[in-house]
Amino acid sequence: MSPVPTFVNICKKASVEQYSAAPYLATLINCGLWVLYGLPMVHPHSILVVTINGSGMVIELVYLLLYLRYCSDRKKRLRVVATMVAEFMVLAALAVPVLTLVPTTKLRSTIVGSLAMLGNVLMYASPLSRMVISTKSVEYMPLFLSLASFANGICWTAYALIRFDPFIAAPNGLGTLLGLAQLVLYATFYKSTKRERLDGKGKGEMGLGLAETADSGESKKIRSADLNGHVSESNGT
């Protein structure tokens, strides 16, 4: 639920601005892979993995639908839709052969768990954008998402160590480090982002002031011209 403040802001402005759909697309495929991993016929006694990640899939779909609703760039919308369709096709292409051709739950767990590890790392790494480093701005890297990633990594790592599940422990341990990296980036570039916002606001106010001054000057010229015209008419009379 960490992206809620971001999407409240998007709905208020009726625009996704420069926010990326990558974190939500990565989380969608990640949740789908872990739902498959947690099924009783793949990895028995993993009901918690199925329920949490199943809920996550529904939540990410809602976020992505809102993103599509407020995205004005047609090409970007098409890319997001195409990626979503491709992700569901990948899940189906994995689930059917694993459930029908692989004979044991141990082998199914190994196959699906290995791919789910990759999906997990992608989810944690997705908010780390080159744009953040190149622009030295975290305006479009939501803090709540980074905090949630860090906390999520810690919780799932602890859960995996209790059950000793390396498929959950390894990617979430790495995810904890990636979440920490996001927070370090946020702390590093927060001040420069704040200055940019203040500078942008100051320039906007300055531009508005100049426009008002120009309008005022133009109004004075018009009034002066009207007054001169009236004086000339009076002299002519």
Side-chain angles (χ1 to χ4, degrees):
M1 299 299 288
S2 58
V4 167
T6 299
F7 278 90
V8 168
N9 188 42
I10 286 172
C11 291
K12 284 181 179 178
K13 294 183 177 180
S15 172
V16 298
E17 299 181 294
Q18 297 300 313
Y19 285 108
S20 172
Y24 315 110
L25 291 168
T27 305
L28 180 65
I29 184 69
N30 176 68
C31 288
L33 288 168
W34 284 110
V35 166
L36 182 58
Y37 176 82
L39 293 176
M41 62 285 291
V42 176
H43 193 77
H45 313 298
S46 299
I47 187 66
L48 192 62
V49 176
V50 175
T51 52
I52 290 176
N53 286 283
S55 301
M57 281 190 78
V58 174
I59 292 169
E60 294 308 316
L61 282 171
V62 172
Y63 290 151
L64 286 166
L65 289 174
L66 284 173
Y67 190 94
L68 292 170
R69 168 69 178 79
Y70 293 110
C71 181
S72 57
D73 188 331
R74 186 171 178 274
K75 288 183 179 179
K76 190 183 287 187
R77 286 203 307 270
L78 289 174
R79 283 198 299 269
V80 171
V81 172
T83 304
M84 291 172 66
V85 171
E87 288 181 350
F88 282 111
M89 289 176 67
V90 167
L91 289 173
L94 176 63
V96 172
V98 164
L99 295 177
T100 57
L101 301 177
V102 180
T104 64
T105 55
K106 185 176 180 180
L107 186 54
R108 290 172 184 170
S109 297
T110 302
I111 294 170
V112 178
S114 300
L115 292 172
M117 287 172 65
L118 177 61
N120 222 10
V121 173
L122 287 174
M123 180 192 72
Y124 283 116
S126 58
L128 291 170
S129 170
R130 284 181 300 175
M131 186 175 74
V132 173
I133 299 171
S134 61
T135 62
K136 296 183 179 180
S137 172
V138 291
E139 185 175 2
Y140 296 106
M141 189 178 82
L143 175 61
F144 287 110
L145 185 60
S146 300
L147 283 170
S149 294
F150 181 62
N152 184 68
I154 292 174
C155 293
W156 278 110
T157 302
Y159 170 82
L161 290 175
I162 292 170
R163 294 199 55 187
F164 194 68
D165 189 330
F167 293 114
I168 297 178
N172 284 285
L174 180 58
T176 302
L177 296 177
L178 289 171
L180 181 60
Q182 293 173 36
L183 294 175
V184 170
L185 271 178
Y186 198 94
T188 302
F189 296 130
Y190 173 74
K191 287 186 178 180
S192 60
T193 303
K194 194 173 182 181
R195 281 197 300 270
E196 284 178 10
R197 286 176 179 171
L198 290 173
D199 289 345
K201 187 182 290 186
K203 287 178 181 177
E205 289 175 354
M206 186 182 296
L208 184 61
L210 290 171
E212 288 176 351
T213 303
D215 289 343
S216 177
E218 192 66 29
S219 298
K220 287 179 180 178
K221 288 180 182 179
I222 292 170
R223 286 198 299 271
S224 178
D226 289 343
L227 183 59
N228 291 333
H230 286 307
V231 170
S232 297
E233 287 176 5
S234 300
N235 292 334
T237 307

